[in-house]
Amino acid sequence: MFKKLSLLVLLFISFSLVKAQEKIPFRITKHNNIIVKTLVNDKDSLDLMFQIAMEDASISPERTRKADHIIFKDEISENNTVKIGKLTKKNIQFFDNELTGHEADGKIGTGIFKGKAFKIDYDNNQFMIYNKMPDLKGYESTPLFSENGQFYIVADNVIGGKQEEVYFLLQSGYSGGILYSNEFADGKELDKKLTVTSEKTLKNSAGKSIVTKQGVLPFLKLGNIVLKDVSAGFFAGDLKTQKTNYFGADLLRRFNWIFDAERKTAYFKPSKYFSEGYYKIK
C-alpha cells in the first residue's frame, strides 16, 4: 500500500513539473513592440520593452517614469530585482542611456527566462514559462543559433527569382519586417532586384549620406511556411553601418514562438497576425 501511494505521489509530482508554468501579460504597441509592466527593486514602476536580442535590461534617457532606485556606476547597475506579474528575478543587470522603443522606459531581455523554456504567445498577449517543454502539436521547428545572448535563425529569401538562405537576428526592437545588412544588400544588388517602394536620404555633419530604402521581398520561407510580399528594408549611400540581417517585430508577431531551455531550437506556428498588412516604416 505504501509503495502504491509513493508511486502515485511521484507520478503527481512528475505531472505537475511538466505542467508547471508562469504567465506574464504584455501589450503590443502600434509599432509592434512588446511592453511589460515591471517593478524594479520594489520601488520603480517601469514599462519596459521586451528585447529578444539581449539578455539583460536597460534604461532609456527618454523615459517618462522615474528610475531613482536603480543605482548606476559607470552606466551599469548590478544586482537588481525585477518583478513582472507573479515572476520575481534577482541579480538583473541594467545598462543606462540606451534608447528603446515607443512607449517604453527601457528594455528587458531574455535573462528573465534563463534556464527555462518560454513561449511568446501573441494570440493571448502573454509569455509562458515552462519547467518542461509544452505540447508542440501544430508547431514547426528551426535550429536556433545563439551568440552573445542573441538568437539567429535561417530563412529562405526569393530574390531576383533565386532562393537565398539568410541568417537573421531575431530583433523585436525593430518595428518593421526584414532589414538587410549592408554586405548582403550590396552583394545581392537589392537596389536592382527588389521593388523599392520608398526611400529617404540623410546626411551627417561630414556630408556623408545614408539612404534608407523600403522594398518588397516576393517570398520569405520559414520552415514550410511562406510569407508573400514581405516588407524589406536596406541601406545605401556612403555610410555602411548595418552589419546584421534583422528578422523584425512585424515578422515575429506573425507567429507564436516557443524556445527550448537550451536555446537550441525555436518552435513556431502562425498567430492571429499572420495575414495582417505589413508595418510601414516612416
Side-chain angles (χ1 to χ4, degrees):
M1 178 68 181
F2 179 76
K3 288 183 178 179
K4 289 183 178 178
L5 184 61
S6 297
L7 180 60
L8 286 172
V9 170
L10 287 172
L11 287 172
F12 175 77
I13 292 173
S14 177
F15 179 78
S16 298
L17 286 173
V18 171
K19 293 297 183 181
Q21 59 192 30
E22 293 182 79
K23 298 179 182 180
I24 299 176
F26 61 71
R27 66 179 176 87
I28 303 174
T29 72
K30 64 181 181 180
H31 303 286
N32 300 326
N33 300 134
I34 290 176
I35 303 293
V36 291
K37 288 191 172 297
T38 64
L39 182 64
V40 182
N41 298 330
D42 292 317
K43 299 288 185 180
D44 297 324
S45 296
L46 301 171
D47 281 4
L48 300 181
M49 182 195 79
F50 174 66
Q51 172 54 286
I52 198 170
M54 67 186 290
E55 287 185 311
D56 300 304
S58 66
I59 293 298
S60 170
E62 298 177 354
R63 62 184 178 272
T64 59
R65 296 166 184 83
K66 292 183 179 181
D68 297 337
H69 299 86
I70 305 175
I71 308 304
F72 291 96
K73 181 179 179 181
D74 298 326
E75 297 197 337
I76 298 176
S77 179
E78 307 279 2
N79 303 318
N80 296 282
T81 299
V82 174
K83 294 181 180 178
I84 309 174
K86 296 181 179 179
L87 176 71
T88 298
K89 298 295 289 187
K90 297 182 179 180
N91 301 317
I92 299 294
Q93 181 175 253
F94 275 82
F95 294 92
D96 200 7
N97 294 316
E98 287 192 2
L99 295 177
T100 187
H102 298 275
E103 303 177 37
D105 303 304
K107 296 176 286 191
I108 189 79
T110 58
I112 58 175
F113 308 124
K114 189 173 183 179
K116 304 278 190 178
F118 74 95
K119 177 181 182 180
I120 308 176
D121 184 353
Y122 282 99
D123 285 343
N124 298 294
N125 284 14
Q126 63 186 14
F127 296 109
M128 302 289 288
I129 307 174
Y130 303 98
N131 288 330
K132 300 289 184 180
M133 289 296 290
D135 183 9
L136 297 171
K137 184 178 179 180
Y139 283 83
E140 291 194 44
S141 66
T142 187
L144 191 67
F145 304 93
S146 300
E147 183 178 337
N148 299 322
Q150 298 181 320
F151 305 143
Y152 294 81
I153 60 172
V154 175
D156 291 321
N157 303 237
V158 175
I159 300 170
K162 294 183 179 180
Q163 187 165 300
E164 303 282 354
E165 187 178 79
V166 180
Y167 282 78
F168 286 105
L169 170 68
L170 299 183
Q171 174 51 277
S172 57
Y174 176 65
S175 297
I178 289 172
L179 181 63
Y180 288 111
S181 69
N182 289 120
E183 180 181 3
F184 187 85
D186 293 344
K188 302 301 179 182
E189 298 182 309
L190 297 187
D191 204 10
K192 299 178 181 177
K193 294 180 180 178
L194 294 185
T195 299
V196 176
T197 57
S198 67
E199 65 178 80
K200 184 187 299 182
T201 301
L202 300 172
K203 288 190 177 183
N204 66 8
S205 58
K208 291 186 176 181
S209 66
I210 181 168
V211 182
T212 61
K213 298 192 177 189
Q214 287 296 315
V216 177
L217 177 70
F219 299 101
L220 176 72
K221 185 179 180 184
L222 181 61
N224 293 310
I225 299 173
V226 176
L227 292 138
K228 298 179 180 179
D229 298 328
V230 178
S231 176
F234 58 97
F235 295 105
D238 305 316
L239 299 174
K240 307 293 185 182
T241 58
Q242 186 63 32
K243 300 183 183 300
T244 308
N245 302 303
Y246 285 174
F247 193 97
D250 189 27
L251 290 178
L252 284 167
R253 74 184 176 111
R254 295 173 190 276
F255 302 91
N256 292 318
W257 300 84
I258 296 175
F259 299 89
D260 66 356
E262 294 77 24
R263 309 295 184 254
K264 299 293 185 183
T265 307
Y267 302 85
F268 58 94
K269 69 176 182 180
S271 74
K272 63 184 180 183
Y273 298 110
F274 185 80
S275 298
E276 288 212 349
Y278 289 100
Y279 179 85
K280 294 182 179 180
I281 299 291
K282 296 181 180 179

